[in-house]
Amino acid sequence: PVASVLELGGVKIGREDVMRDDPTNNVPDTIFSKLGMQLHRRDQHPIGILKNAIYEYFDTSYPNKFDKFDDLCPIVTVKQNFDDVLVPADHVSRSYNDTYYIDAQTVLRCHTSAHQAELLRRGHTHFLVTGDVYRRDSIDSTHYPVFHQMEGVRVFSPDDWEASGVDATSHAAEDLKKCLEGLANHLFGKLRTKTLLSKCTLEKWLEVLGCGVTEQEILKRSGKTNNVAWAFGLGLERLAMVLFDIPDIRLFWSNDERFTSQFSKGQLGVKFKPFSKYPPCYKDISFWINESFTENNLCEVVRGIAGDLAEEVLLIDNFTNKKGMTSHCYRIAYRSMERSLTDDEINELQWNVREQVQSKLNVVLR
Ligand code: PHE
């Protein structure tokens, strides 16, 4: 049962505010039900434990405190989410296929960078923003349409780099590198007491992170013409999967005690012990696609029906015939993290998938 009114960052949000009767709206029930869950604000949850460990690093490593935000509303304007951070007008991330739109001007933020410009404008110079972010995506063990990011921003003044004798940009880049290395040591060092980061861990570390010296234009627009800054955006799930040995991203959303009871406040990197492995069941579906078909749309249909029982949707065959018609075959893996599924149950899911794939995506089943 999903509550129909939520409180997000002090704002009351009703179901009808998110799933608006607007032709551009593409927010399904499964996504609405995730709003307000705020896994990152639970001290006993791996995502919250990780957030607190990163806070601890910034609190102990920097003389000037970073301002922390973890309760900003995930409903933002297109301007905040894209324009203010200079995402080009034709960038794919702006498409209805990649982002959840509430209406033409309003989206569920697809990154915590959506709050950068406003916080800079309000005068913050050191800050961390943690939040749930939303992206339409395919289905596998490392992708989920809701995940969590932490954004870090640090602004420098002329005093900072003049003292160091290097130019402003180099100073910011050097400082960013030091900051992230220190953070990696803080998080991984706890597990591998002082041994160097292994190659594998380093690769995973880079995979979970976007970062750089901030575009001058962003600072200029927020009234900071004499400054430079760095910013990073960390994907918390990917990092937590490495730190806690969590094999599937769906587990973060599990209420099963056999999952939740394994984690406690302040305990970073306790290795998750899988409670049981239930067998997956595979079902194939083939159809002739049309011009508007996308894999993200297919995955949205599958999730709408199977929810977290859908483990993977994989394209296993793709061909075009002499008439120019293209056929796709997808293999859907159904598996519960918590129990065995019955044949009847899976057959019914697959039946519904077949029906909705036809009616919602307008494709022709083979
Ligand atoms: N916003 C970027 C993303 O979500 C990550 C990022 C943040 C990159 C800050 C650079 C600076 O992919």
Side-chain angles (χ1 to χ4, degrees), residues 111 113 116 135 149 151 210-212 231-233:
H111 53 186
S113 303
Q116 262 193 30
R135 294 185 194 178
Q149 278 188 328
E151 190 92 359
C211 67
F232 66 77

Side-chain angles (χ1 to χ4, degrees), residues 36-230:
M37 299 281 264
Q38 301 199 306
L39 303 182
H40 59 287
R41 300 183 75 208
R42 301 183 191 175
D43 290 338
Q44 312 245 37
H45 190 281
I47 299 295
I49 296 168
L50 176 56
K51 180 197 77 174
N52 289 332
I54 301 175
Y55 279 2
E56 188 185 278
Y57 167 72
F58 280 92
D59 285 345
T60 53
S61 319
Y62 287 91
N64 24 18
K65 279 258 185 283
F66 275 69
D67 300 322
K68 304 183 186 80
F69 302 88
D70 73 350
D71 195 20
L72 300 176
C73 185
I75 300 170
V76 300
T77 60
V78 166
K79 181 173 175 298
Q80 290 174 298
N81 197 73
F82 296 119
D83 303 331
D84 286 354
V85 281
L86 311 180
V87 174
D90 60 352
H91 196 268
V92 282
S93 64
R94 289 186 185 248
S95 70
Y96 293 121
N97 191 51
D98 287 38
T99 291
Y100 289 106
Y101 279 78
I102 291 174
D103 58 37
Q105 277 79 252
T106 319
V107 298
L108 297 179
R109 68 182 163 212
C110 73
H111 53 186
T112 42
S113 303
H115 303 287
Q116 262 193 30
E118 190 181 339
L119 292 171
L120 285 169
R121 216 177 305 126
R122 282 205 247 148
H124 296 281
T125 56
H126 297 66
F127 58 90
L128 301 169
V129 181
T130 315
D132 38 335
V133 300
Y134 298 78
R135 294 185 194 178
R136 297 187 85 227
D137 219 328
S138 48
I139 299 181
D140 68 34
S141 66
T142 59
H143 291 88
Y144 201 80
V146 193
F147 61 101
H148 297 78
Q149 278 188 328
M150 189 189 292
E151 190 92 359
V153 175
R154 182 179 188 187
V155 181
F156 298 90
S157 323
D159 286 348
D160 297 316
W161 66 81
E162 275 162 11
S164 72
V166 296
D167 66 276
T169 307
S170 311
H171 181 72
E174 276 300 307
D175 188 83
L176 172 61
K177 199 171 151 236
K178 249 189 277 162
C179 171
L180 293 172
E181 270 169 14
L183 177 58
N185 282 329
H186 182 79
L187 298 176
F188 294 106
K190 285 200 167 165
L191 307 173
R192 302 186 190 169
T193 3
K194 299 265 172 200
T195 54
L196 281 173
L197 290 178
S198 68
K199 188 170 172 287
C200 162
T201 311
L202 200 84
E203 270 164 20
K204 291 220 166 95
W205 175 238
L206 293 175
E207 208 174 275
V208 300
L209 173 107
C211 67
V213 174
T214 304
E215 295 264 3
Q216 216 48 48
E217 179 66 18
I218 297 180
L219 293 172
K220 203 173 108 196
R221 289 189 193 178
S222 59
K224 294 184 156 49
T225 40
N226 287 317
N227 304 81
V228 291
W230 56 240

